[in-house]
Amino acid sequence: MFRREGPLSLYRGLTPSIIAVFPYAGLQFASYNIFHRISKWASISSGNVHNLVCGSCAGIISKTLTYPLDLLKKRMQVDGFQKARISFGQVQTYKGFLDCVFQVARGEGLRGFYKGLSPSMLKAAFSTGLVFFWYELFCNILNDHKQGASSGYQQQQSKDLNRKQ
């Protein structure tokens, strides 16, 4: 690929990746926060499983909303492997990001932007759920440690004060 098409071929699919990464991350955190607030409002108990479920829902929402950009990225990345893909059926080539958008829209319609969404949502649910599960778990552990350390420090200070008196 590098020899045939040059160094720019290594960056194929970078444009949709850059465009998608910020909304994806933003939607993950915003959705997670919204699900947390809704669960507090509905008086659903919090805890590790709660964080896992809220994170999974946030992953599903963010992946669904940004999936068209993910599809375009993947389509552009596999462009150039026509010989290897010929056995899979129709082979498309793209001149760039906008050409890829127009070809998918023209040839496959709106549904074409969501081909393969189901396995991607499943992955997003597991991975995002686990990310928020571990994040909240470690934040709680560190917070408990900090609370214990500060109370231990305060106890030590009061012992030192008592010795001086």
Side-chain angles (χ1 to χ4, degrees):
M1 195 165 95
F2 180 79
R3 285 186 215 136
R4 244 183 304 128
E5 300 174 40
L8 288 180
S9 66
L10 300 175
Y11 297 97
R12 195 178 290 132
L14 183 63
T15 302
S17 294
I18 290 172
I19 293 171
V21 72
F22 297 112
Y24 182 71
L27 286 167
Q28 272 185 335
F29 285 103
S31 300
Y32 180 73
N33 192 19
I34 289 168
F35 284 117
H36 249 285
R37 288 180 185 204
I38 289 171
S39 64
K40 282 183 183 176
W41 175 77
S43 300
I44 298 171
S45 65
S46 62
N48 294 332
V49 173
H50 173 258
N51 295 331
L52 181 72
V53 171
C54 287
S56 294
C57 292
I60 290 170
I61 298 276
S62 57
K63 179 53 80 175
T64 302
L65 294 175
T66 60
Y67 187 74
L69 291 168
D70 198 34
L71 176 114
L72 295 170
K73 172 192 75 167
K74 290 172 185 168
R75 295 266 180 108
M76 291 177 69
Q77 286 174 338
V78 298
D79 188 29
F81 294 102
Q82 288 85 358
K83 289 180 185 174
R85 294 182 340 192
I86 201 86
S87 62
F88 293 112
Q90 186 180 15
V91 177
Q92 298 282 57
T93 57
Y94 307 107
K95 295 174 187 154
F97 176 67
L98 290 177
D99 183 47
C100 186
V101 171
F102 291 129
Q103 282 194 43
V104 171
R106 197 174 323 120
E108 302 169 52
L110 185 59
R111 294 184 85 177
F113 288 103
Y114 288 93
K115 282 186 176 178
L117 176 63
S118 300
S120 195
M121 277 185 3
L122 189 62
K123 177 197 170 251
F126 280 116
S127 63
T128 308
L130 287 171
V131 163
F132 282 108
F133 168 83
W134 289 112
Y135 172 76
E136 293 288 351
L137 181 70
F138 284 119
C139 281
N140 291 335
I141 289 170
L142 291 173
N143 192 30
D144 291 346
H145 179 71
K146 181 180 174 185
Q147 298 267 332
S150 67
S151 67
Y153 176 75
Q154 290 170 350
Q155 289 173 354
Q156 184 64 37
Q157 290 292 342
S158 83
K159 284 180 185 178
D160 289 345
L161 242 155
N162 289 337
R163 283 187 207 151
K164 289 180 181 178
Q165 293 174 355

